[in-house]
Amino acid sequence: AALGLYFPRKEYLENVYIDEPAGMPLLRIRALKDSHEEVAHFHLCQNLIISRARSHENNWFQIREKTGVLYLSKSLDREDFNMLSVGNWMPLSKVMLYVFLSSHPFQEKECDSATRTAVFLSLINATAPACSSLTARQLCFTEMDLSFHIKENKPPGTFHQLQLPSVHHLCQNLSISYKLLAAEGVPFRYNESTTGVEVTQRLDREERERYELIAKCTVREGFREMQVEVPFLVNVLDEDDSPPFLPNGTDTADAVVEFSRKEGTVLSTLTVYDADTTPIYPLESSRKKYTGTIITDDPWISETFRVEHIFDEIHFSPNGSQVRGTRHEYKLVLNKSISVTEHRSFQLDVLVNDTEFHGPERSVMLHFNVSILPVSIQFSNITYQFTVNRNAERFAQIGKICIENCMKFRGVNITYKLLSPNASCYPVSILQGREDKYGTLYVNDSSVLRRPECKEVQYIVQAMDKQSRKHTKTLLTVVLEGTFLKKEEDCPDSCAISKHRAECEECGGLGVLTGRCQWRQGSGKGITTNYSTCTPSIKTCPDGICDVVEGRDPAVCPQDCTSGNIIGGHGKGIGNLGIKSGHGICYCFPRQNCYCEKDDIKEQLCDDVCKTVI
Amino acid sequence: LAGPPSPPGLAPPGWRVPVDCVRANELCAGEPSCSSRYRTLRQCLAGRDRNTMLANKECQAALEVLQESPLYDCRCKRGMKKELQCLQIYWSIHLGLAEGEEFYEASPYEPVTSRLSDIFRLASIFSGMDPATTSKSNHCLDAAKACNLNDNCKRLRSGYISTCSRELSATEPCSRRKCHKALRQFFDRVPSEFTFRLLFCSCKDPACAERRRQTIVPSCSYEDKDKPNCLDLRGTCRTDHLCRSRLADFHTNCQATFQSLTSCPGDNFQACLGSYAGLIGFDITPNYVDASTTSITISPWCSCKGSGNMEEECEKFLRDFTENPCLRNAIQAFGNGTDVNLSP
């Protein structure tokens, strides 16, 4: 800013009483300078702001242009007081004035300089109290806390007046003296002759940013002496006077692109420190002050990479005291997904620039050693072999198909497909979820399993990368084993319907691997994720995830997939699907309700009467 | 120099009862001179600050005419019909009149005249017990029971609890927007004898204090991955008329003052607690930071990290929640079932 003068406070506070005489000083405002030559001129905006909406012409208050003493130019009588109080919202009437500051005499009565401070005057509906009725606290200090801010790197000067002008004016028979209690070497001094507090030297925020002193006041009236102490705080305001630097001198980092190739992947991070503070509010302007730019002529590089800048506050301890500083992190990020075939390495330079620092070392260069490695699309096993029981039902999950390193892939879309060699025996299929990196092999046609001529079926599995169309194949053998057993009659088609262990384990249902449902015995304590239930396969159901095969038919695993009502103590799963936790035994009627309840009649299933019948 | 005690709960002399802004807008629309000046003023205010606006003769004339109209000091009521519309009218006039960076803003809401003692009277009627004699019980549990016995309270409470605890996906634990909306409905539509008991119950053991902390389902409505800077959060709140009004109301009613015994403006606990509850369901939602029984610490979900040269201001803003004697006294007084004794 062109104007170096500033106020050491954002607002001042003072009381005004009815019928105080014209000429009465209320408050002395001090300003600090940018250079010794500057002279401060104070000016009042001729507008009293009453409540937020209402305002009134200022007929009562004036400020001395040279000294900053705010005084009553006209006594405030009861009528004035009532007029200013009308429409005031708070129980206490307050008016606000703006005081402006300029380095030259005010020409016109302008009201819009950026350098201003607010003075709040509490209008008190009484005449000024007698000096004898005031406490030492009231005689020495106002209600305003003594807290100031001083800019670093500015010349010394007086920034506060301890003596209260109104008290000094009214209570002349009292002796009021002040002292500033401070540790040795603190750059503040109380000047007894002016009652002003001075900062005695240029401050450096990077050395120390907060000074806590005590203002002590002694009031003497004849032989009576009273003392009062209040905290006196000075915060040092920061300006950009430190260049960026590298922690441990590290300016180089490796950035390897291999399995993660997705847009948005963070490849590597380098850190830059700065002893200055950086406000995170407003965020965008701080980002603009501290830039990070990729230096390159290669359009491919500027399209493929971007730099993300985040920063946070850290603490430095220059000499025992803690001061705030900034850690800037520059992350090299993929700006688009990279094809699996891409293969190159190069050095990528990022120029970091502290735009508001005015020294020669305002920028540092960061280097990323980028290596983009191709990934191969291939199966690690030469062949897959799975065995399937002839009693398996439709939607039984046989196994997973996955190419080498497939679970590490990000931003590589592999699709799996079965190429069937003979059309007559074709019991299995492959399904792949939208986000799945693997294919799930499952029984698609259980009637084929029962046919004696189908014994060992061979397939070719193909995996293909969507983007590059690169693909690979391998052999898959499905061996049918076991003998087909006739199904129990009266069994439901879903395992989840069974409420008891016995009926569960003697029936089959959709998705079973060996012709029988499996019983999961829960812990039985309250509402738990480990509830008791009947399922086609404990491995896949319920596991809290409604996978792509289970999602095909609501009868396979409603415990993971139901979106209907659940009656009884339970917790719902992610996205309101399935039963995440339940009380006792949970069972479901597919496409209808699920129930979770404690099985209280377990022992009574066969009571004395029933035994007698047997 | 301390002022004399302010008249408790009474309007200052000469203070006229304001009409609500929706009504004031209707009155103004019926008068050609008022409505044209109102239009002019709204154009004047668009994108200009107070001083540049006042420099314009036409704008100044519009302002002077409107000073006499009911629009000028119209107010809104919490939970009134068309509350948002009312606040929009209020801010359409006041936004440009306020200085942008004003620390405290005046509340657009009517002052609260009821007292905590009114709640205690009601509470002892419906619960059939005197709050002072049940010192051994878990007050927060009692509050939940009392709410469940009231159809309206039970419905809206279970409404926000189920909304706030519904998991959307592995990365999104809940819909914060819907949770906040449900919370706002609860605190706007359920009488404060129920809501205050849930929010401000007094506790002697951690289980009770944890229940108190959990009242607003903080995992969804309060906590977030990152803690923003408090001034940033205030800035976000001020872009929204409702949030801005509730925050201004909180500052008006809970701002600690030396001028009263309780540190609260006008010694009015009820007003402070009401404006605290009015913040729940907005970006600035406050809550108990822990389940401590001995010290009550309240804070919105923000910190003063990264404030730069604004750290002093940020700390001041945060302290109005974390170290506010008015708010603390009000919560304790509610928990103890004691109100300020008002001398007639």
Side-chain angles (χ1 to χ4, degrees), chain A residues 107-140:
Chain A
Q107 301 292 319
E108 44 188 312
K109 299 294 177 198
E110 72 242 62
C111 220
D112 60 349
S113 155
T115 315
R116 66 173 184 206
T117 190
V119 176
F120 288 92
L121 298 169
S122 298
L123 305 182
I124 293 171
N125 193 2
T127 51
C131 295
S132 56
S133 71
L134 294 175
T135 63
R137 176 74 174 77
Q138 291 169 315
L139 287 166
C140 295

Short mmCIF file of all heavy atoms in Angstrom, two decimals, chain A residues 107-140:
data_model
loop_
_atom_site.label_atom_id
_atom_site.label_comp_id
_atom_site.label_asym_id
_atom_site.label_seq_id
_atom_site.Cartn_x
_atom_site.Cartn_y
_atom_site.Cartn_z
N GLN A 107 -7.95 17.51 2.84
CA GLN A 107 -8.45 18.58 1.99
C GLN A 107 -9.96 18.70 2.14
O GLN A 107 -10.47 19.66 2.67
CB GLN A 107 -8.09 18.31 0.52
CG GLN A 107 -6.59 18.17 0.26
CD GLN A 107 -5.86 19.49 0.46
OE1 GLN A 107 -6.36 20.54 0.06
NE2 GLN A 107 -4.69 19.44 1.08
N GLU A 108 -10.64 17.71 1.69
CA GLU A 108 -12.08 17.72 1.84
C GLU A 108 -12.43 16.67 2.88
O GLU A 108 -11.62 15.84 3.25
CB GLU A 108 -12.73 17.41 0.49
CG GLU A 108 -12.06 16.24 -0.21
CD GLU A 108 -12.57 16.07 -1.62
OE1 GLU A 108 -13.80 16.07 -1.76
OE2 GLU A 108 -11.76 15.92 -2.54
N LYS A 109 -13.67 16.70 3.28
CA LYS A 109 -14.05 15.80 4.36
C LYS A 109 -14.42 14.43 3.78
O LYS A 109 -15.55 14.00 3.83
CB LYS A 109 -15.22 16.40 5.15
CG LYS A 109 -14.87 17.74 5.78
CD LYS A 109 -13.80 17.54 6.85
CE LYS A 109 -13.37 18.85 7.47
NZ LYS A 109 -12.08 18.76 8.17
N GLU A 110 -13.44 13.80 3.18
CA GLU A 110 -13.74 12.51 2.55
C GLU A 110 -13.95 11.44 3.62
O GLU A 110 -13.48 11.58 4.75
CB GLU A 110 -12.65 12.10 1.57
CG GLU A 110 -11.36 11.68 2.22
CD GLU A 110 -10.22 12.61 1.81
OE1 GLU A 110 -10.28 13.81 2.10
OE2 GLU A 110 -9.27 12.11 1.21
N CYS A 111 -14.65 10.42 3.21
CA CYS A 111 -15.08 9.43 4.20
C CYS A 111 -14.73 8.03 3.73
O CYS A 111 -15.39 7.08 4.06
CB CYS A 111 -16.60 9.56 4.35
SG CYS A 111 -17.17 9.38 6.03
N ASP A 112 -13.72 7.90 2.87
CA ASP A 112 -13.51 6.57 2.28
C ASP A 112 -12.04 6.20 2.15
O ASP A 112 -11.63 5.62 1.17
CB ASP A 112 -14.21 6.49 0.92
CG ASP A 112 -13.66 7.54 -0.04
OD1 ASP A 112 -12.93 8.43 0.43
OD2 ASP A 112 -13.95 7.44 -1.24
N SER A 113 -11.24 6.55 3.13
CA SER A 113 -9.86 6.09 3.08
C SER A 113 -9.81 4.67 3.63
O SER A 113 -10.62 4.28 4.47
CB SER A 113 -8.99 7.02 3.91
OG SER A 113 -7.85 6.35 4.35
N ALA A 114 -8.88 3.90 3.13
CA ALA A 114 -8.79 2.51 3.56
C ALA A 114 -8.25 2.43 4.98
O ALA A 114 -8.55 1.50 5.72
CB ALA A 114 -7.89 1.74 2.61
N THR A 115 -7.44 3.42 5.36
CA THR A 115 -6.83 3.37 6.68
C THR A 115 -7.75 4.03 7.69
O THR A 115 -7.82 5.25 7.78
CB THR A 115 -5.48 4.09 6.67
OG1 THR A 115 -4.79 3.67 5.50
CG2 THR A 115 -4.66 3.75 7.87
N ARG A 116 -8.46 3.20 8.40
CA ARG A 116 -9.40 3.76 9.36
C ARG A 116 -9.50 2.84 10.57
O ARG A 116 -9.11 1.67 10.52
CB ARG A 116 -10.77 3.92 8.72
CG ARG A 116 -11.39 2.59 8.40
CD ARG A 116 -12.81 2.74 7.92
NE ARG A 116 -13.36 1.41 7.72
CZ ARG A 116 -14.33 1.15 6.88
NH1 ARG A 116 -14.87 2.10 6.16
NH2 ARG A 116 -14.80 -0.07 6.76
N THR A 117 -10.03 3.38 11.63
CA THR A 117 -10.29 2.58 12.82
C THR A 117 -11.67 2.98 13.32
O THR A 117 -12.16 4.07 13.01
CB THR A 117 -9.19 2.77 13.88
OG1 THR A 117 -9.37 1.81 14.92
CG2 THR A 117 -9.23 4.17 14.49
N ALA A 118 -12.31 2.10 14.05
CA ALA A 118 -13.66 2.39 14.53
C ALA A 118 -13.61 2.76 16.00
O ALA A 118 -12.90 2.13 16.79
CB ALA A 118 -14.55 1.16 14.34
N VAL A 119 -14.33 3.82 16.36
CA VAL A 119 -14.45 4.19 17.77
C VAL A 119 -15.89 3.93 18.19
O VAL A 119 -16.82 4.47 17.59
CB VAL A 119 -14.09 5.67 17.99
CG1 VAL A 119 -14.31 6.05 19.45
CG2 VAL A 119 -12.65 5.94 17.59
N PHE A 120 -16.05 3.09 19.18
CA PHE A 120 -17.38 2.81 19.72
C PHE A 120 -17.57 3.63 20.98
O PHE A 120 -16.75 3.57 21.90
CB PHE A 120 -17.54 1.33 20.05
CG PHE A 120 -17.65 0.47 18.84
CD1 PHE A 120 -16.51 -0.11 18.28
CD2 PHE A 120 -18.88 0.24 18.24
CE1 PHE A 120 -16.61 -0.91 17.15
CE2 PHE A 120 -18.98 -0.56 17.11
CZ PHE A 120 -17.85 -1.13 16.56
N LEU A 121 -18.63 4.40 21.01
CA LEU A 121 -18.92 5.20 22.20
C LEU A 121 -20.19 4.67 22.84
O LEU A 121 -21.24 4.63 22.21
CB LEU A 121 -19.09 6.67 21.80
CG LEU A 121 -17.86 7.33 21.17
CD1 LEU A 121 -18.21 8.69 20.58
CD2 LEU A 121 -16.74 7.47 22.19
N SER A 122 -20.07 4.23 24.09
CA SER A 122 -21.26 3.78 24.83
C SER A 122 -21.90 5.01 25.45
O SER A 122 -21.27 5.73 26.21
CB SER A 122 -20.87 2.83 25.95
OG SER A 122 -20.27 1.68 25.40
N LEU A 123 -23.16 5.26 25.09
CA LEU A 123 -23.86 6.42 25.64
C LEU A 123 -24.52 6.00 26.94
O LEU A 123 -25.37 5.13 26.96
CB LEU A 123 -24.91 6.90 24.65
CG LEU A 123 -24.40 7.21 23.24
CD1 LEU A 123 -25.54 7.71 22.37
CD2 LEU A 123 -23.28 8.24 23.29
N ILE A 124 -24.08 6.58 28.01
CA ILE A 124 -24.59 6.15 29.31
C ILE A 124 -25.57 7.17 29.85
O ILE A 124 -25.29 8.38 29.92
CB ILE A 124 -23.43 5.88 30.28
CG1 ILE A 124 -22.70 4.64 29.72
CG2 ILE A 124 -23.93 5.61 31.69
CD1 ILE A 124 -21.45 4.32 30.38
N ASN A 125 -26.75 6.65 30.19
CA ASN A 125 -27.90 7.47 30.55
C ASN A 125 -27.77 8.00 31.97
O ASN A 125 -28.61 7.74 32.81
CB ASN A 125 -29.15 6.59 30.39
CG ASN A 125 -30.41 7.42 30.44
OD1 ASN A 125 -30.35 8.64 30.55
ND2 ASN A 125 -31.54 6.73 30.38
N ALA A 126 -26.69 8.70 32.25
CA ALA A 126 -26.48 9.27 33.58
C ALA A 126 -25.38 10.31 33.45
O ALA A 126 -24.64 10.31 32.46
CB ALA A 126 -26.03 8.16 34.54
N THR A 127 -25.28 11.18 34.44
CA THR A 127 -24.17 12.12 34.41
C THR A 127 -22.92 11.39 34.87
O THR A 127 -23.00 10.34 35.51
CB THR A 127 -24.45 13.33 35.32
OG1 THR A 127 -24.83 12.82 36.60
CG2 THR A 127 -25.56 14.19 34.78
N ALA A 128 -21.77 11.95 34.53
CA ALA A 128 -20.50 11.29 34.85
C ALA A 128 -20.38 11.07 36.36
O ALA A 128 -20.71 11.96 37.14
CB ALA A 128 -19.34 12.15 34.35
N PRO A 129 -19.96 9.89 36.77
CA PRO A 129 -19.84 9.62 38.21
C PRO A 129 -18.71 10.46 38.83
O PRO A 129 -17.77 10.85 38.14
CB PRO A 129 -19.52 8.13 38.26
CG PRO A 129 -18.99 7.79 36.92
CD PRO A 129 -19.57 8.75 35.94
N ALA A 130 -18.84 10.70 40.12
CA ALA A 130 -17.81 11.48 40.82
C ALA A 130 -16.53 10.67 40.90
O ALA A 130 -16.58 9.44 40.97
CB ALA A 130 -18.31 11.81 42.22
N CYS A 131 -15.40 11.37 40.87
CA CYS A 131 -14.11 10.68 40.91
C CYS A 131 -14.00 9.74 42.11
O CYS A 131 -13.46 8.65 42.03
CB CYS A 131 -12.98 11.70 40.96
SG CYS A 131 -12.89 12.68 39.47
N SER A 132 -14.55 10.20 43.24
CA SER A 132 -14.42 9.41 44.48
C SER A 132 -15.19 8.09 44.39
O SER A 132 -14.90 7.15 45.12
CB SER A 132 -14.92 10.23 45.65
OG SER A 132 -16.25 10.62 45.39
N SER A 133 -16.17 8.02 43.50
CA SER A 133 -16.97 6.79 43.44
C SER A 133 -16.37 5.77 42.48
O SER A 133 -16.89 4.67 42.33
CB SER A 133 -18.40 7.12 43.02
OG SER A 133 -18.41 7.48 41.66
N LEU A 134 -15.29 6.15 41.79
CA LEU A 134 -14.73 5.23 40.80
C LEU A 134 -13.70 4.30 41.42
O LEU A 134 -12.95 4.69 42.32
CB LEU A 134 -14.09 6.02 39.66
CG LEU A 134 -15.06 6.84 38.81
CD1 LEU A 134 -14.28 7.68 37.80
CD2 LEU A 134 -16.06 5.94 38.11
N THR A 135 -13.65 3.05 40.92
CA THR A 135 -12.63 2.11 41.39
C THR A 135 -11.33 2.41 40.67
O THR A 135 -11.30 3.13 39.67
CB THR A 135 -13.04 0.66 41.06
OG1 THR A 135 -13.11 0.55 39.64
CG2 THR A 135 -14.39 0.31 41.66
N ALA A 136 -10.25 1.81 41.17
CA ALA A 136 -8.95 2.01 40.54
C ALA A 136 -8.99 1.51 39.09
O ALA A 136 -8.44 2.14 38.19
CB ALA A 136 -7.88 1.28 41.33
N ARG A 137 -9.68 0.39 38.87
CA ARG A 137 -9.77 -0.18 37.52
C ARG A 137 -10.42 0.83 36.57
O ARG A 137 -9.97 1.03 35.44
CB ARG A 137 -10.61 -1.46 37.59
CG ARG A 137 -10.90 -2.16 36.26
CD ARG A 137 -9.65 -2.85 35.74
NE ARG A 137 -9.91 -3.64 34.56
CZ ARG A 137 -10.07 -3.16 33.34
NH1 ARG A 137 -10.04 -1.86 33.16
NH2 ARG A 137 -10.26 -3.95 32.32
N GLN A 138 -11.46 1.50 37.06
CA GLN A 138 -12.17 2.48 36.23
C GLN A 138 -11.37 3.75 36.03
O GLN A 138 -11.47 4.40 35.00
CB GLN A 138 -13.53 2.80 36.85
CG GLN A 138 -14.51 1.65 36.79
CD GLN A 138 -15.74 1.89 37.63
OE1 GLN A 138 -15.64 2.34 38.77
NE2 GLN A 138 -16.90 1.60 37.07
N LEU A 139 -10.57 4.09 37.02
CA LEU A 139 -9.75 5.30 36.89
C LEU A 139 -8.57 5.09 35.95
O LEU A 139 -8.09 6.03 35.33
CB LEU A 139 -9.23 5.73 38.27
CG LEU A 139 -10.26 6.33 39.22
CD1 LEU A 139 -9.70 6.38 40.64
CD2 LEU A 139 -10.66 7.72 38.76
N CYS A 140 -8.09 3.85 35.88
CA CYS A 140 -6.85 3.60 35.14
C CYS A 140 -7.07 3.14 33.71
O CYS A 140 -6.32 3.51 32.82
CB CYS A 140 -6.03 2.54 35.86
SG CYS A 140 -5.44 3.06 37.48
#
